[in-house]
Amino acid sequence: MMISLLVNDRIFEVESPAGESLLSVLRRLGFFGVKHGCETGECGACAVLMDGKTVNSCVMLAAQAVGHALQTIESVGAHPEQGWKITPGLHPLQQAFVETGAVQCGFCTPAQILAAKELLDRNPNPSEEEARQALAGVLCRCTGYIKPVQAVLRAAAVLRGEAVEPLEGRLSGDEGIPAPADWLGGGEGGPEPDGGPLAPAGLPGRAVQTRTRLLPHITVTPETETWSSVGRPEKKVDAVKLVQGKPAFTADVEPRGMLVAKVLHSPVAHARIVKIDASRALQLPGVAAVLTWKDLPRVIYSTAGQSDPIPGPLDSFSLDQKVRFVGDRVAFVAAESEQIANQALELIDVEYEPLPALFDPAEAMLPGAPVLHDEPEYVNFADSDPARNLAAHIHIDIGDVEKGFAEADQIFEGVYEVPKVHQAHIEPHVVVTYWDEDDRLVIRTSTQVPFHARRILAPVLGLPVKRIRVIKPRIGGGFGGKQEVLIEDVAAHLTIATGRPVIYEYTREEEFIAGRSRHPMRIWMKTGVKNDGTVTANAMKALTDTGAYGCHALTVTGNTGHKSMALYVGDGPYRKSPNIQFSADIVYTNHPPAGAFRGYGVPQGYWALDRHMETIARALGLDPVEFRLKNALRAGELQPFSTAWSEGREPRPETIETCALEECARQGKAVIGWDQKYNNPAWHTVEGKPHLRRGIGTAMVMQGTALPYLDMGGASIKMNDDGSFNLLIGATDLGTGSDTVLGQMAAEVLGVPLEDVIVYSSDTDFTPFDKGAYASSTTYISGTAAVKAAEQAAERIRRRAAKMLQAGLPSGAAIDWQEIRLADRRAFAPDGRSVSLAEVAHNALHHEDQEQIMGVASYVSPTSPPPFAAQFAEVTVDIETGQVVVDRLVMALDSGVIVNPLTASGQVEGGMAQALGYAVCEEMRYDEQGAAREVDLTDYHIFQADEMPEMHTLFIEIFEPTHPFGVKSVAEIPMNGVAPAVGNAVLDACGAAVNENPITPERVWQSLKKEIA
Ligand code: FES
Ligand code: FES
């Protein structure tokens, strides 16, 4: 039927089939700022304003909007500089989102801005709580909400006509920042009791007052003092387009004649397909293709997006005659519309021969258990053994743990469990494929690994690598979920079959049943300790459920030991020769496959290790912080695992160059008020509420920075006529801000502001190779490549500038090009004379010894310098119900030099928010038949803006000498410490020792009951 919609003050007459959602129509009309994140009104990404009120367009029929005025992000503001045209520029809300770093992946940003606009249109002076409530309907998986809330309050101030100060420089806190008075339980100078102002929002002087802080505190390292771009809170290079809702994401295109793909998923956990008949589906008008296992070549591969050779078994086919989990692939459909594609799925006739299913990894390893992978094409990696359902096995011995146990005064043992949890990026997996005019297959996809995807897909599709082009547009979050070649083959096979463009986008339910997740594990700990607290030996054993396929099986669980058990080497003689053992079985079951998820196995390790360390400290009567620091790794010592294991490759010993863990602990303690609270009985109770108990807990963690001797990053840079530069990188910014920090490093080398560096990532046709975004490697590996490329360009500039400046000197005098300094868009001779970079570029491109000034470089690291952090948590527990409220999280990190305090603190805040879900509520569960219980964002709860605790980030900078700008990684480490710190705080509050996370009320209550019994 024809309907008439009023959108952004324009009338659109549009044909819309009955039942079509408003979201679908608006996107068909080209309003790509309205995003699809789910189908059931839970995420808020599709929000628009209808008559000034926020509505979720995915759960409204288009017809319901007739007669109402709709507003989308496209009408809110525009880029301020558009040639000769005068525009009003960005709306203050958009401006504030850009300035405060509220935009990470930017997928939720249009909806957040519209929700905030509704608030400010009716309430020009909202409190922080009101801002949080306004944003509560729009889920964000990246930011932790601090910066979006700050942005709303900042915009409100601007709209009221108040001055807000620019965000510049760094807040340094060399001596440690004391806890705010109310964090200590009230007192002078504290905040208003209603949740009003606590501290300036990271801004000097009077500005927006909020309880949360925008810029982190940084203990600044002296090396950074002279830099002009590195170290500054620069605006993200993609923020301006993202706040306007520009069509930057994979699905924001509509090639003519595009088909919609759908996948038939298995309803059973383990079965052989004995008959499959697609003829009825093919007869349905509008169906262009149906593919089953009979139609595709049988090519075995691994879906894990890792460097070659993939360190895991090859055990997957695009379509197979066997299904191995509820949600596994059975058939692919391409049709003219989503509706027809869904109808076609119901017309595919499948007969399954059920096979016994395995849901417990321990049972799956028993002799005689059914075998999941009996296909003859299976390719082993290392110790995988499909006959025993073993995807991988790890055994690492450092020193001699038995000797260490014998030398101990006490032995502590414990069993810990961690659940399967979901990445829950707000942009689902999505891919568009098409043949280009040269008959090359273009794959436009939301991936973290475009180059690995091309390499892995080529044999699967029967195409050489050179006939595939992978384009990675902006990514709406990934968190490891998109380090997987998960859906690209579906659309590509259908494009090959039909010759037409195809889009395949997961529904939210598909994300849960067919996407990847964090590996669940059961972990045994055994630790030997002297009575003075010296750890003499430490052993960890993990049993991992990899699900039906072994993607990332070896490497994720390897990291569980590698980056957690390495932290505690012991004290005294044990520092030089620690006794550590790690072993693991990674086992196939008929659950959906696990895969990469931010932290990559390490959060699992720290839940067990740090809960165990807490138990030991308390049993020995030692201060938990001092006990950890006594045994923790220090600078100058070997990363113990580097001597014994390297993901199946030859290990190469690595020395820890920098470690500021002690200072992290000192400053973190000061901010949370540890000394005033720990062991203070008065603080642990709440006046007038005898059922409540307060508790405080800590955890110390480390991570890695990139994979040494393996992963490579590349960058190229070229100079333009006006002295600006194009920086082309294969690295994939999935919302982390890596495009920005790589641009900052290049800008620093070239002596230009960041705005003169146009960053583009990534396209396998145009950008240099890069391993992609994983393993905390982009700033370190790809950043070094960008610095090297910039240095090459800088050398060409300085040589030419020396020649140009030579012209003004008396004959015989010479300028050494190495003395030319680049700064402020100019090249300076030692005598102070200078030429502009635009003049140098003109000279090079048009006038003398013409050349394109450019640089190309790549980098592989010989080391993986670990970042370290001290995590603190404060909780209130209701001992009658077991309910845990996390009140505060403080994280103090040594991540080396912080290139951009806004993006780095955004990573920490967002990581802590994700880790908080891991601590208290997120868990993927299955029924007896293996069907997922959580298939939407209602049952699988992720934190909303109005549910967050106070969070505080501190960076303790040390210059890491293995990187040109002294950086280490920051993106993954925030996942590691929150859950154990919360678990330890719950123990501190009420004595409930919960060894299985998440720490649900039921588990706390059960544990309390056990204590009483
Ligand atoms: S609420 Fe509409 S897309 Fe999620
Ligand atoms: S910035 Fe909010 S979902 Fe990514």
Side-chain angles (χ1 to χ4, degrees):
M1 63 178 169
M2 281 302 275
I3 58 170
S4 176
L5 291 179
L6 178 62
V7 188
N8 300 338
D9 296 328
R10 278 181 62 199
I11 293 173
F12 294 83
E13 306 288 343
V14 58
E15 178 69 38
S16 171
E20 188 178 18
S21 71
L22 179 59
L23 168 65
S24 168
V25 172
L26 288 172
R27 287 187 61 85
R28 277 204 292 121
L29 289 171
F31 296 106
F32 288 119
V34 192
K35 301 297 183 196
H36 162 242
C38 70
E39 303 73 35
T40 44
E42 294 145 6
C43 74
C46 62
V48 296
L49 296 180
M50 189 164 85
D51 302 329
K53 296 254 182 308
T54 310
V55 294
N56 284 340
S57 60
C58 70
V59 285
M60 271 190 72
L61 296 177
Q64 289 177 291
V66 173
H68 297 279
L70 298 169
Q71 186 176 15
T72 71
I73 192 72
E74 282 83 357
S75 71
V76 172
H79 195 290
E81 291 159 24
Q82 298 185 10
W84 49 263
K85 186 173 155 190
I86 309 293
T87 80
L90 296 176
H91 185 279
L93 268 165
Q94 292 172 310
Q95 190 65 36
F97 268 68
V98 171
E99 288 171 356
T100 57
V103 183
Q104 286 196 25
C105 80
F107 199 75
C108 68
T109 302
Q112 283 190 334
I113 290 174
L114 290 172
K117 186 168 183 302
E118 183 199 343
L119 170 70
L120 300 190
D121 285 349
R122 65 181 155 74
N123 177 1
N125 196 3
S127 66
E128 175 167 349
E129 270 57 41
E130 287 165 329
R132 285 187 175 277
Q133 281 156 14
L135 297 180
V138 184
L139 295 177
C140 176
R141 191 59 158 170
C142 302
T143 60
Y145 302 105
I146 285 182
K147 291 177 170 58
V149 169
Q150 301 271 359
V152 174
L153 299 176
R154 186 173 173 89
V158 171
L159 286 164
R160 292 194 301 269
E162 296 170 16
V164 291
E165 296 195 25
L167 288 164
E168 286 177 333
R170 319 168 123 214
L171 291 180
S172 74
D174 295 339
E175 295 306 315
I177 304 99
D182 82 319
W183 287 26
L184 303 177
E188 43 192 79
E192 292 155 17
D194 62 353
L198 169 67
L203 305 173
R206 165 73 180 94
V208 181
Q209 298 281 308
T210 68
R211 297 183 65 80
T212 47
R213 181 179 296 281
L214 182 54
L215 281 172
H217 272 107
I218 302 180
T219 299
V220 179
T221 195
E223 282 89 344
T224 63
E225 297 294 334
T226 57
W227 296 336
S228 56
S229 186
V230 170
R232 295 176 64 81
E234 301 269 20
K235 298 175 191 117
K236 276 185 80 205
V237 294
D238 51 355
V240 169
K241 72 177 160 218
L242 294 174
V243 296
Q244 297 174 81
K246 292 277 173 150
F249 295 89
T250 298
D252 298 346
V253 291
E254 226 173 70
R256 183 166 294 190
M258 185 158 72
L259 297 165
V260 177
K262 288 284 167 187
V263 169
L264 182 65
H265 296 284
S266 171
V268 291
H270 197 194
R272 213 169 285 284
I273 297 170
V274 290
K275 199 179 130 212
I276 185 160
D277 180 0
S279 54
R280 287 198 305 142
L282 281 165
Q283 282 162 17
L284 185 70
V287 172
V290 181
L291 300 176
T292 72
W293 69 269
K294 297 178 194 170
D295 302 301
L296 297 180
R298 204 166 158 75
V299 180
I300 197 148
Y301 67 108
S302 166
T303 58
Q306 293 178 284
S307 288
D308 182 69
I310 288 175
L314 306 189
D315 58 8
S316 300
F317 300 94
S318 278
L319 286 170
D320 195 4
Q321 202 177 351
K322 200 174 174 189
V323 288
R324 297 178 179 84
F325 66 96
V326 177
D328 207 350
R329 299 151 158 214
V330 175
F332 305 156
V333 167
E336 301 293 342
S337 72
E338 185 177 1
Q339 208 179 11
I340 298 170
N342 279 326
Q343 283 171 11
L345 294 181
E346 290 174 16
L347 296 175
I348 301 171
D349 297 309
V350 192
E351 197 181 309
Y352 299 97
E353 177 201 329
L355 298 168
L358 292 165
F359 300 119
D360 182 330
E363 284 174 19
M365 289 179 70
L366 293 176
V371 173
L372 262 75
H373 286 278
D374 51 2
E375 63 275 10
E377 297 91 344
Y378 187 98
V379 178
N380 278 303
F381 183 87
D383 292 328
S384 56
D385 181 358
R388 296 170 54 215
N389 290 317
L390 201 59
H393 172 74
I394 301 167
H395 187 94
I396 302 166
D397 271 317
I398 298 156
D400 181 346
V401 284
E402 294 308 327
K403 180 172 160 283
F405 290 140
E407 290 164 2
D409 294 325
Q410 297 192 47
I411 301 286
F412 291 86
E413 295 186 73
V415 186
Y416 304 85
E417 286 196 49
V418 282
K420 193 173 177 73
V421 289
H422 191 47
Q423 295 88 351
H425 31 77
I426 304 300
E427 180 201 40
H429 285 83
V430 55
V431 58
V432 174
T433 54
Y434 53 92
W435 290 111
D436 73 6
E437 63 276 22
D438 292 316
D439 295 309
R440 296 175 73 235
L441 187 73
V442 181
I443 302 175
R444 177 182 164 95
T445 179
S446 182
T447 179
Q448 295 173 225
V449 286
F451 287 88
H452 293 340
R454 182 176 63 164
R455 188 188 85 248
I456 291 166
L457 285 167
V460 174
L461 302 176
L463 285 167
V465 164
K466 66 186 172 193
R467 286 193 57 208
I468 299 174
R469 174 182 173 194
V470 177
I471 300 171
K472 179 230 51 106
R474 302 322 297 165
I475 308 176
F479 316 118
K482 294 173 181 172
Q483 194 199 336
E484 197 83 15
V485 186
L486 193 59
I487 61 167
E488 288 83 356
D489 61 316
V490 177
H493 284 307
L494 290 165
T495 286
I496 290 172
T498 62
R500 291 174 60 180
V502 172
I503 183 167
Y504 181 40
E505 184 170 24
Y506 265 0
T507 61
R508 186 53 59 181
E509 181 174 350
E510 282 178 298
E511 285 292 341
F512 282 101
I513 65 166
R516 298 297 187 247
S517 57
R518 193 181 295 294
H519 291 75
M521 295 183 195
R522 193 173 302 145
I523 297 174
W524 290 262
M525 294 293 311
K526 182 175 177 183
T527 307
V529 199
K530 299 253 189 218
N531 286 334
D532 70 352
T534 302
V535 171
T536 60
N538 210 3
M540 175 187 276
K541 185 172 175 225
L543 179 63
T544 301
D545 180 353
T546 188
Y549 299 98
C551 30
H552 302 272
L554 175 85
T555 43
V556 161
T557 306
N559 261 299
T560 302
H562 183 276
K563 294 184 176 65
S564 67
M565 292 293 280
L567 183 57
Y568 296 114
V569 287
D571 202 9
Y574 297 99
R575 291 201 160 275
K576 276 209 160 46
S577 50
N579 301 311
I580 303 172
Q581 186 178 74
F582 176 69
S583 63
D585 289 316
I586 302 100
V587 184
Y588 290 118
T589 67
N590 293 105
H591 282 136
F597 186 174
R598 190 178 192 178
Y600 206 76
V602 187
Q604 290 97 312
Y606 275 109
W607 169 256
L609 174 66
D610 210 283
R611 290 285 298 105
H612 194 62
M613 293 298 277
E614 184 73 15
T615 305
I616 298 171
R618 285 170 180 264
L620 296 178
L622 300 171
D623 178 274
V625 174
E626 296 309 318
F627 169 61
R628 285 172 175 83
L629 290 177
K630 175 181 172 63
N631 291 289
L633 196 59
R634 294 176 188 159
E637 295 171 351
L638 281 177
Q639 204 297 12
F641 277 67
S642 70
T643 61
W645 195 75
S646 181
E647 299 192 348
R649 292 168 292 115
E650 187 200 341
R652 306 195 204 202
E654 281 177 49
T655 300
I656 306 294
E657 299 278 352
T658 53
C659 173
L661 186 59
E662 264 190 71
E663 186 60 15
C664 290
R666 188 179 77 81
Q667 295 207 22
K669 275 173 67 176
V671 168
I672 196 118
W674 178 274
D675 291 338
Q676 295 87 338
K677 294 172 182 170
Y678 189 74
N679 266 342
N680 174 357
W683 177 81
H684 283 71
T685 54
V686 182
E687 205 181 319
K689 296 183 178 167
H691 59 294
L692 298 184
R693 297 280 187 283
R694 286 202 193 101
I696 188 165
T698 186
M700 308 227 170
V701 294
M702 61 181 264
Q703 188 76 23
T705 301
L707 298 174
Y709 297 105
L710 178 68
D711 280 343
M712 193 195 90
S716 75
I717 194 156
K718 86 176 165 60
M719 190 179 201
N720 297 315
D721 298 57
D722 60 351
S724 68
F725 298 87
N726 293 104
L727 173 62
L728 303 183
I729 44 179
T732 46
D733 184 340
L734 52 150
T736 53
S738 63
D739 281 4
T740 304
V741 299
L742 265 54
Q744 283 179 258
M745 289 190 259
E748 191 69 53
V749 172
L750 293 162
V752 296
L754 177 60
E755 67 189 73
D756 286 4
V757 180
I758 303 145
V759 185
Y760 181 76
S761 71
S762 33
D763 181 328
T764 54
D765 266 14
F766 302 120
T767 57
F769 176 89
D770 193 285
K771 77 280 165 235
Y774 60 89
S776 282
S777 57
T778 305
T779 309
Y780 190 76
I781 296 270
S782 314
T784 303
V787 168
K788 285 169 169 281
E791 282 171 348
Q792 287 177 17
E795 179 180 333
R796 301 305 311 157
I797 293 166
R798 290 155 79 203
R799 284 183 184 275
R800 184 166 291 268
K803 256 166 114 180
M804 291 166 74
L805 291 164
Q806 186 82 38
L809 288 180
S811 67
I815 296 180
D816 181 352
W817 69 268
Q818 296 188 70
E819 290 181 27
I820 298 287
R821 186 173 58 87
L822 303 183
D824 302 329
R825 294 181 168 129
R826 303 190 73 79
F828 290 91
D831 61 9
R833 291 177 310 121
S834 67
V835 285
S836 72
L837 294 199
E839 288 168 321
V840 173
H842 258 267
N843 184 275
L845 293 171
H846 302 286
H847 300 307
E848 244 180 293
D849 296 333
Q850 283 151 275
E851 63 168 335
Q852 170 65 65
I853 290 178
M854 62 190 304
V856 184
S858 49
Y859 185 66
V860 180
S861 174
T863 58
S864 173
F868 295 88
Q871 177 75 56
F872 295 87
E874 198 180 303
V875 302
T876 303
V877 181
D878 184 328
I879 55 170
E880 288 174 1
T881 64
Q883 182 73 39
V884 175
V885 174
V886 177
D887 300 314
R888 293 190 180 98
L889 294 172
V890 172
M891 190 171 199
L893 304 91
D894 157 21
S895 282
V897 169
I898 298 304
V899 179
N900 186 323
L902 272 181
T903 60
S905 57
Q907 287 293 295
V908 178
E909 291 153 8
M912 282 201 280
Q914 285 182 11
L916 186 60
Y918 192 52
V920 299
C921 62
E922 294 184 29
E923 186 170 15
M924 299 169 83
R925 297 165 307 161
Y926 298 86
D927 68 16
E928 300 72 37
Q929 274 71 48
R933 292 188 193 277
E934 286 81 18
V935 294
D936 57 40
L937 291 167
T938 299
D939 287 339
Y940 191 90
H941 186 74
I942 65 175
F943 271 78
Q944 301 176 179
D946 59 347
E947 299 171 329
M948 291 300 299
E950 292 174 17
M951 298 197 290
H952 198 118
T953 302
L954 302 108
F955 289 114
I956 316 300
E957 284 193 341
I958 303 190
F959 190 93
E960 166 61 38
T962 59
H963 184 274
F965 286 111
V967 310
K968 298 195 277 190
S969 70
V970 72
E972 290 189 287
I973 193 169
M975 293 302 300
N976 297 350
V978 172
V982 169
N984 296 338
V986 169
L987 179 68
D988 184 60
C990 62
V994 182
N995 287 350
E996 189 179 351
N997 79 330
I999 309 157
T1000 58
E1002 192 186 348
R1003 287 180 179 137
V1004 174
W1005 193 75
Q1006 294 285 4
S1007 174
L1008 280 171
K1009 245 179 36 177
K1010 234 192 290 173
E1011 286 290 311
I1012 293 164

